[in-house]
Structure formats: structure tokens, C-alpha cells
Amino acid sequence: MTRREPFGIVAVFATPGALESAARQLRALGFDSVEACTPYPVEDVGRSLHPGRNVLLPLLVMAAAVVGLAWGYFVQYWDAALDYPIDVGGRPYHSWPAFAVTTVETAALFAVAAAFFGLLASCRLPRLYHPIFEAAGFERASRDRFVLSVAAKDPGFEPNLIRRVLQRHGAERVEEVAGWR
Amino acid sequence: MTVAADPMVPPGNPPVVRPGLGLTSLSVEISSRVLSPRAPGWWWIGFGAGLALLLVLAVAVAWLFVNGIGVWGVNIPVAWGLAIAEYVWWIALASGGTIVSALFYLTRSPWRAATNRIAESMLLCAAASAGILPILHLGRPGLFYWLFVYPNTMDLWPQARSPLWWDFIALFCYILMSLMFYYVGLLPDLATVRDLATTRGKQVFYAVLALGWRGSARDWRNHKTVYAIMAAVMTPMVVSVHSIVGLDFAGGLTLGWHSTQFPPYFFFGAVISGTALVIVLTIFVRWGYGLYDLITGYHLNALGKVMLVGSLLLAYAYIWEAWGPFYGGDAAERTEFIDRISGFTAWQYWATIILDVAVPQLLWLPAVRASPTALASIAAGVMVGMWLERFVLVVASLHRNYMPAEWGDYVPTIWDWGIFAGSIGLFLTLFLLLLRFLPAVSLAEMRELIDKAAE
């Protein structure tokens, strides 16, 4: 295993409001690697840290649905019209209305699967270890505390300035965290 | 500090969350049920009953596999018996889980947050119970995999024009989709349990399940996007799944089945019976875990209204079912219907009408919707009624088909009933396991409600 490296500064707040104002000020000071970990989605924080719309995931799901649609139809066409044609009362082998139902089901399955795996990929999960887990009090970010972090890889990383900003906004605890790569 | 500011809640009605509930107490309270080394007494009683019934299933299935489906009461002409009726029944119950969790997510209903986990757990367990029944009903259950589409050395392909195959694909897709939907909703809550766990084994167990969820702002943004998309896809899918079960019947040239109203008719049944099971389980979990702060009269009131809507929809379908034979002027249709309501299946038919249409009209009264006992009793009655409806539907049509020469009765044997009891055992066992080891309510969504209430 490689050595421990500085991860950044991690602050714990008691309310989403305090975290939000601290995050906004840090962003205004030019820090890019600011991230918040909260027990539930806090809309204002999300909007100020990650402005813009989430377009990639919906597009991925749409694309998967189209692929599912095509695949679902093709399999039935291959089955009933090409490879294993059975004459049922003279009905056409390529009976598209009968294929419609399962085509839609396949498209839905592909869409939901793309959404599921897209979520994991976009959140970089599964990742059982993350340096932020080393921060004291981080375990409460999944229930009643709001955690803000500024990564050390930020080009203008200035520990003292960041520390002051975080404390001014009422952080309960500010800590420099190092973790395994 | 109360939710009374919410325009959805008229003054005087119970709030969605009791004001005393905070972020800390919510997480600790729900997680402690999961992490506690000792399960409560009622859980052991329920789990014991579930295991006992599961044993019945094992014996009944073993006897079936050894002897073939001759051990059941099914024969020509009534070749579909309890197994198929119960399959339809279980699927309808499962569908209720998606209706409560996905449909009411899209409508942004605040009462959905405390009930959706129960509804979705119920969905998965009911789908498991449903899924085994058609396989058992196959004469050669070991060959059920022939329904999958895959290149094979036998050069066999399934019949893509058959509703029975559509049904298999629809159910297969539905279960997979439901699992993924469930897991996405569960992910943040697993992280909460992971962080509250104190013993090494539990920490590792829940850490692996939570996949390292941190709840960063980016994660939440992706999570919300994906969850909304999934709910939007799942909602039409649940309509389609039970409609396709209806097509299994409508596709057959059998009296009483060959009707265009079957797909919506079946879905209406899913609305009422699925909601009924959600109501029963919600009241049960609320009582068992003492979750009176999270699941309030607001939830019961809302669920009661959904069940009432289901009952009205179903009444509409029953009227058309009776209208058709008399308007159509086909003597065979008429004979079959008159026999259905006055012959072999008469008491089951009228019990269905009473339990699914007449009694649920009590839900118009706010006092009934406010009483957990009344609500649970009506819901239990609805489920019994729906079981009888499925029985009448399957049996009555087959036992009075076109030719009087092929008329015949059907009496379930003890092995039919064994499978039925066993399917309940499977449901109960799985549901109680999920209830024991996973958070019973959606913590992340409840926190949003608490946050909103505090504003």
C-alpha cells in the first residue's frame, strides 16, 4: 500500500444552512474542489456546488431504452419470422402487433438497468474506502450532520484561509485529513 | 414547527411527521431495530409461522414433483386451478407496491416517504410467491427455462405471439426492475445503518451493501435524477405487467375471458388489492415497531382513499363484465355468466361483490379511514375478496365452456391448499427477513420531510 497522503480539510456543520453559506463563500473565493456530504439531498447546496443540469444520465437512459427497443423487437422477429417460423392459422410470420408488448418491456428493462448502473458509475461506486471516511465525525454525515470538504489537490489550496472561513460559518469541527490513496 | 403550513394538509388533520421527530432520533430509532441483536417477540411469532408454512410448501412441492400435477384437483375441463388463480392474486398484490412507491413518487405525495419501503419489500416478496406458481403449474417444471430466449442446440425458440410468453417476459423484467429500484432507494439508508453499526461483522456487512455511499452533493444529484427516471418508467410498467396477466386470459377463446376489458380490469384489481396489502402491512409494522411518529393518520387516510378508488374502478369493471353477456346476445356467454353468479361459484362471486365493492364504500367516511382497526379489517376483507374473484374468474369460465358435453366441476385437493399456504409462508418469511435486516422506512426521504417541516 502506498503512503497516506493529505486529502484536504473537512468541516462538520450542524445545519444545512451553515454548510450552504460556507460552501458559497468558498466557491466565491475561487476554490473548485469543494464537496458536501449530507444525509439527504439539500437542494441549495447541490445547486451552488454543481450548477447546471444533469444531462448525461438521462441521455444514457434514453439511449439504452432505444437499444432495448431494437433488441426486443429484433429477437422476436428473428425467432418468429426467420429462425423458427410456425404457421398459426395462417397468421403472418412477421406479426408486429404481437411483438409490441415484449418490445416495450425489454426497453423498460434496459432503461432501468442503464439508470442503475449509470448511477453507480457516475457516483464511482462501489468504492468501499474513501479518504473522507478518515475524518472524525464523518459517520454522522449519514444521519444528522452536514460535512463540507475542500480537497488538497485544489490549485489554490490554503489551509489557514479555508479553516478561518469554515469556522466563521459556525463549523462544529474542522480537521485536516490524510488518507490512503 | 408543524407541517400544517403545507396546503396539502387541512387544519385539524394529522401531520405527515409528528413535530417531535428529529434527524438524530429518526436514524437512531429506525437503525436500532435493524442493528439490535434481539428481534421482538411478535417478529419471532411471525417468522416461526412463516417458516412452518414454508415447510408446508416444501412438502407440497416435493409431493407435486414426485407425482405430477395429478395430485391437484385440476383436470379437463378445469385445467387451471388454484395455482393460476393465486398467481394472478399474488401479482396483483405485488403491483400495489409499485403503485404506492412509484406512482405516488411522481405525484410528490408526502405520505409516500414513510410507506414506500414497506410497499417495495412487499412487492419483492409477493413477486417471489407469484413467480413460483406458474412454474409449479407446468407439467414439467424443470423445463421452464425454455421460455428464455437463447440460442440452443435444440434449435428451439419460444412462441413470441403467445400472451403466456409475454407474461413471462413482463414478469421477469418487472422483478429485475423492481429490485434495482428498491436498491437505489435503499442505498443511502444502508450507509446510515453502516455508520451506526457497532460490531465489526455488521459494519462490514452493511458497508459492503452500501457500496461506499457517501452522500456527496454530486451523488445526491445523480441519485435524484436516476430515482425520478426509474419511478417514471416503473409506473407504466406496473400497469403493463398486470394488464399482460389479463391478456393471458383475454387471448383464450373461452367464455368470460375473451374480452377486451381484461387488461384494465386486472389492473383495477391490482390497485385495490395491492393497496390493501400495503395497508395491512403498514398498520402491522407501525404497531410492531411503534412507528407512530412516522406513520400517522395522514398516511392511513391517504391509503384508504387509494383503496376506495380501486374499489370504484373494480365496480366499474364488474358492471361491464355483467353487461357484456346480456348485451352480446350469445346464449353460451349468458349461460356461463348466469351459472357464475348462481351456480357452482355463486357464493364466491357474491362474496367478492360484498368484500370488494360494498364494504369498501365505508371508506367514504373519514372516521373509518382514521381507524387502523377498521381500515385493516376492510383491507383484509378486500384481499379475501380478490382471492375469491380470481378463483371465480379462473374456474367459472372453464367449467361451463361452449359445449355442454365438456362441462365439469373443480374441487381443490389438500395439495392445492398446501401450495397456497406455502406461498403465504414464502411471503411471510421473506418479508419479515427484509423487515428485520433493512430499514423499514426510507430515511433519506423522511429527513427531507423533517427538514421541510422545520422551516
Side-chain angles (χ1 to χ4, degrees), chain A residues 88-111:
Chain A
V88 183
R91 288 174 184 80
Y93 293 128
H94 182 199
S95 36
W96 68 267
F99 304 159
V101 176
T102 23
T103 303
V104 172
E105 298 292 331
T106 319
L109 177 65
F110 274 52

Short mmCIF file of all heavy atoms in Angstrom, two decimals, chain A residues 88-111:
data_model
loop_
_atom_site.label_atom_id
_atom_site.label_comp_id
_atom_site.label_asym_id
_atom_site.label_seq_id
_atom_site.Cartn_x
_atom_site.Cartn_y
_atom_site.Cartn_z
N VAL A 88 -49.46 -20.33 -37.59
CA VAL A 88 -50.58 -20.44 -36.66
C VAL A 88 -51.81 -19.87 -37.35
O VAL A 88 -51.99 -18.66 -37.44
CB VAL A 88 -50.31 -19.66 -35.36
CG1 VAL A 88 -51.45 -19.85 -34.37
CG2 VAL A 88 -49.00 -20.09 -34.74
N GLY A 89 -52.64 -20.73 -37.88
CA GLY A 89 -53.88 -20.29 -38.53
C GLY A 89 -53.64 -19.30 -39.64
O GLY A 89 -54.48 -18.41 -39.86
N GLY A 90 -52.51 -19.40 -40.33
CA GLY A 90 -52.26 -18.53 -41.47
C GLY A 90 -51.87 -17.11 -41.12
O GLY A 90 -51.85 -16.24 -41.96
N ARG A 91 -51.58 -16.87 -39.86
CA ARG A 91 -51.17 -15.50 -39.49
C ARG A 91 -49.78 -15.22 -40.04
O ARG A 91 -48.95 -16.14 -40.15
CB ARG A 91 -51.19 -15.35 -37.97
CG ARG A 91 -52.58 -15.29 -37.39
CD ARG A 91 -52.54 -15.29 -35.88
NE ARG A 91 -53.87 -15.35 -35.32
CZ ARG A 91 -54.59 -16.46 -35.20
NH1 ARG A 91 -54.10 -17.60 -35.63
NH2 ARG A 91 -55.81 -16.42 -34.69
N PRO A 92 -49.51 -13.94 -40.33
CA PRO A 92 -48.18 -13.63 -40.88
C PRO A 92 -47.08 -13.95 -39.87
O PRO A 92 -47.26 -13.77 -38.67
CB PRO A 92 -48.26 -12.14 -41.18
CG PRO A 92 -49.43 -11.63 -40.42
CD PRO A 92 -50.38 -12.76 -40.27
N TYR A 93 -45.95 -14.43 -40.40
CA TYR A 93 -44.84 -14.74 -39.50
C TYR A 93 -44.34 -13.48 -38.80
O TYR A 93 -44.03 -13.48 -37.63
CB TYR A 93 -43.69 -15.38 -40.29
CG TYR A 93 -44.04 -16.74 -40.83
CD1 TYR A 93 -43.85 -17.04 -42.17
CD2 TYR A 93 -44.57 -17.71 -39.98
CE1 TYR A 93 -44.18 -18.28 -42.66
CE2 TYR A 93 -44.90 -18.96 -40.47
CZ TYR A 93 -44.71 -19.24 -41.81
OH TYR A 93 -45.04 -20.47 -42.29
N HIS A 94 -44.25 -12.40 -39.59
CA HIS A 94 -43.80 -11.14 -39.01
C HIS A 94 -45.03 -10.38 -38.50
O HIS A 94 -45.53 -9.46 -39.13
CB HIS A 94 -43.06 -10.32 -40.07
CG HIS A 94 -42.53 -9.02 -39.54
ND1 HIS A 94 -42.19 -7.98 -40.34
CD2 HIS A 94 -42.31 -8.60 -38.28
CE1 HIS A 94 -41.79 -6.96 -39.60
NE2 HIS A 94 -41.85 -7.33 -38.34
N SER A 95 -45.55 -10.81 -37.34
CA SER A 95 -46.79 -10.21 -36.81
C SER A 95 -46.43 -9.16 -35.77
O SER A 95 -46.38 -9.44 -34.57
CB SER A 95 -47.69 -11.29 -36.22
OG SER A 95 -46.93 -12.29 -35.60
N TRP A 96 -46.15 -7.96 -36.24
CA TRP A 96 -45.59 -6.94 -35.35
C TRP A 96 -46.48 -6.57 -34.17
O TRP A 96 -45.95 -6.29 -33.09
CB TRP A 96 -45.17 -5.70 -36.14
CG TRP A 96 -46.30 -4.92 -36.73
CD1 TRP A 96 -46.80 -5.05 -37.98
CD2 TRP A 96 -47.07 -3.91 -36.08
NE1 TRP A 96 -47.84 -4.19 -38.16
CE2 TRP A 96 -48.04 -3.48 -37.01
CE3 TRP A 96 -47.06 -3.32 -34.81
CZ2 TRP A 96 -48.97 -2.50 -36.71
CZ3 TRP A 96 -47.98 -2.35 -34.51
CH2 TRP A 96 -48.94 -1.95 -35.45
N PRO A 97 -47.83 -6.55 -34.29
CA PRO A 97 -48.60 -6.16 -33.09
C PRO A 97 -48.35 -7.11 -31.92
O PRO A 97 -48.33 -6.70 -30.77
CB PRO A 97 -50.05 -6.21 -33.55
CG PRO A 97 -50.00 -6.13 -35.03
CD PRO A 97 -48.74 -6.81 -35.42
N ALA A 98 -48.12 -8.38 -32.25
CA ALA A 98 -47.88 -9.35 -31.18
C ALA A 98 -46.51 -9.16 -30.54
O ALA A 98 -46.28 -9.59 -29.41
CB ALA A 98 -48.01 -10.77 -31.71
N PHE A 99 -45.60 -8.51 -31.26
CA PHE A 99 -44.26 -8.30 -30.71
C PHE A 99 -44.18 -7.04 -29.86
O PHE A 99 -43.21 -6.82 -29.15
CB PHE A 99 -43.21 -8.19 -31.83
CG PHE A 99 -43.16 -9.35 -32.77
CD1 PHE A 99 -42.60 -9.22 -34.04
CD2 PHE A 99 -43.68 -10.58 -32.41
CE1 PHE A 99 -42.55 -10.29 -34.91
CE2 PHE A 99 -43.64 -11.66 -33.28
CZ PHE A 99 -43.08 -11.51 -34.54
N ALA A 100 -45.21 -6.19 -29.97
CA ALA A 100 -45.11 -4.85 -29.37
C ALA A 100 -44.95 -4.93 -27.85
O ALA A 100 -44.13 -4.21 -27.26
CB ALA A 100 -46.33 -4.03 -29.73
N VAL A 101 -45.72 -5.82 -27.23
CA VAL A 101 -45.77 -5.85 -25.76
C VAL A 101 -44.39 -6.11 -25.17
O VAL A 101 -43.87 -5.34 -24.35
CB VAL A 101 -46.77 -6.92 -25.30
CG1 VAL A 101 -46.75 -7.03 -23.79
CG2 VAL A 101 -48.16 -6.59 -25.80
N THR A 102 -43.75 -7.20 -25.60
CA THR A 102 -42.46 -7.55 -25.00
C THR A 102 -41.38 -6.58 -25.45
O THR A 102 -40.39 -6.39 -24.73
CB THR A 102 -42.06 -8.98 -25.37
OG1 THR A 102 -42.74 -9.33 -26.54
CG2 THR A 102 -42.44 -9.92 -24.27
N THR A 103 -41.57 -5.95 -26.61
CA THR A 103 -40.60 -4.94 -27.04
C THR A 103 -40.55 -3.80 -26.02
O THR A 103 -39.47 -3.36 -25.60
CB THR A 103 -41.00 -4.39 -28.42
OG1 THR A 103 -41.07 -5.47 -29.33
CG2 THR A 103 -40.00 -3.38 -28.91
N VAL A 104 -41.72 -3.36 -25.58
CA VAL A 104 -41.78 -2.27 -24.61
C VAL A 104 -41.18 -2.72 -23.27
O VAL A 104 -40.43 -1.98 -22.63
CB VAL A 104 -43.24 -1.80 -24.43
CG1 VAL A 104 -43.34 -0.80 -23.29
CG2 VAL A 104 -43.75 -1.19 -25.72
N GLU A 105 -41.48 -3.96 -22.87
CA GLU A 105 -40.93 -4.45 -21.61
C GLU A 105 -39.40 -4.48 -21.66
O GLU A 105 -38.73 -4.09 -20.69
CB GLU A 105 -41.44 -5.86 -21.31
CG GLU A 105 -42.94 -5.99 -21.12
CD GLU A 105 -43.45 -5.31 -19.87
OE1 GLU A 105 -42.71 -5.21 -18.88
OE2 GLU A 105 -44.62 -4.85 -19.89
N THR A 106 -38.86 -4.95 -22.77
CA THR A 106 -37.40 -5.01 -22.89
C THR A 106 -36.80 -3.61 -22.83
O THR A 106 -35.77 -3.38 -22.17
CB THR A 106 -37.00 -5.68 -24.21
OG1 THR A 106 -37.86 -6.77 -24.45
CG2 THR A 106 -35.58 -6.17 -24.17
N ALA A 107 -37.46 -2.66 -23.51
CA ALA A 107 -36.96 -1.29 -23.50
C ALA A 107 -36.94 -0.75 -22.07
O ALA A 107 -35.97 -0.12 -21.64
CB ALA A 107 -37.82 -0.40 -24.39
N ALA A 108 -37.99 -1.04 -21.32
CA ALA A 108 -38.06 -0.55 -19.94
C ALA A 108 -36.96 -1.18 -19.10
O ALA A 108 -36.30 -0.50 -18.30
CB ALA A 108 -39.43 -0.85 -19.34
N LEU A 109 -36.74 -2.49 -19.29
CA LEU A 109 -35.70 -3.16 -18.51
C LEU A 109 -34.33 -2.55 -18.82
O LEU A 109 -33.54 -2.26 -17.91
CB LEU A 109 -35.69 -4.66 -18.81
CG LEU A 109 -34.59 -5.44 -18.11
CD1 LEU A 109 -34.81 -5.42 -16.61
CD2 LEU A 109 -34.52 -6.87 -18.60
N PHE A 110 -34.06 -2.33 -20.09
CA PHE A 110 -32.79 -1.73 -20.48
C PHE A 110 -32.66 -0.33 -19.87
O PHE A 110 -31.59 0.05 -19.39
CB PHE A 110 -32.66 -1.66 -22.01
CG PHE A 110 -32.11 -2.91 -22.63
CD1 PHE A 110 -32.67 -4.15 -22.35
CD2 PHE A 110 -31.03 -2.87 -23.50
CE1 PHE A 110 -32.18 -5.31 -22.92
CE2 PHE A 110 -30.52 -4.03 -24.08
CZ PHE A 110 -31.10 -5.24 -23.79
N ALA A 111 -33.75 0.44 -19.88
CA ALA A 111 -33.70 1.81 -19.36
C ALA A 111 -33.39 1.80 -17.87
O ALA A 111 -32.51 2.53 -17.39
CB ALA A 111 -35.01 2.52 -19.63
#
